[in-house]
Amino acid sequence: MIFKSKVDWWMAAIFLVVPISMIYGVITEPDALLMLFTTIMIVLLATLFFGTKYVIEDGELLVYGGIYKKTIPIEQILSLRPSKNPLSAPAMSIDRIEITYNNSFSEVILVSPKDKEEFVKMLLEINPNIKLTP
């Protein structure tokens, strides 16, 4: 199942204002190198904005954040807890879930699925040993 990332209004505004500003710069000061840079940046921003999602399939959680992809075996997920952590993450919202995983040493990833309840429910169906922390 695919879970799209929740998008905060201020994040959407950034992803709209930055490309518009860059395009304005290219229009007012035409330059081939600046145009190339602007095009690359807009493609990367669009990929991040529209490509941030979380997929649960075949016992794995696939986390996509633009060109970033992380595969986490759901059996290795140790705990889930709500988070407002603003650190960089494959999440388009500050309303996040902190996922702690990996048995050899704990790793953490932050995600922001639109439907958090269904997301957590599906993970628990696959791995009922996941600890939910408030």
Side-chain angles (χ1 to χ4, degrees), residues 32-113:
L33 189 57
L34 181 60
M35 192 175 300
L36 176 64
F37 176 75
T38 298
T39 302
I40 291 169
M41 289 305 297
I42 289 173
V43 168
L44 287 173
L45 287 172
T47 303
L48 181 61
F49 188 79
F50 294 108
T52 301
K53 63 185 175 186
Y54 320 104
V55 179
I56 296 174
E57 66 181 17
D58 300 326
E60 295 181 325
L61 171 61
L62 307 171
V63 178
Y64 295 90
I67 59 174
Y68 171 86
K69 179 184 175 187
K70 177 77 175 175
T71 302
I72 302 168
I74 295 172
E75 287 301 321
Q76 289 186 6
I77 295 177
L78 304 172
S79 66
L80 305 172
R81 75 177 184 96
S83 176
K84 300 287 185 191
N85 189 330
L87 290 178
S88 178
M92 300 299 292
S93 172
I94 276 303
D95 185 15
R96 298 172 173 186
I97 298 172
E98 179 183 283
I99 299 173
T100 304
Y101 63 98
N102 203 335
N103 289 329
S104 55
F105 60 94
S106 292
E107 294 183 53
V108 173
I109 192 166
L110 298 165
V111 297
S112 62

Side-chain angles (χ1 to χ4, degrees), residues 24-37:
Y24 176 77
V26 168
I27 291 170
T28 57
E29 295 291 329
D31 176 40
L33 189 57
L34 181 60
M35 192 175 300
L36 176 64
F37 176 75

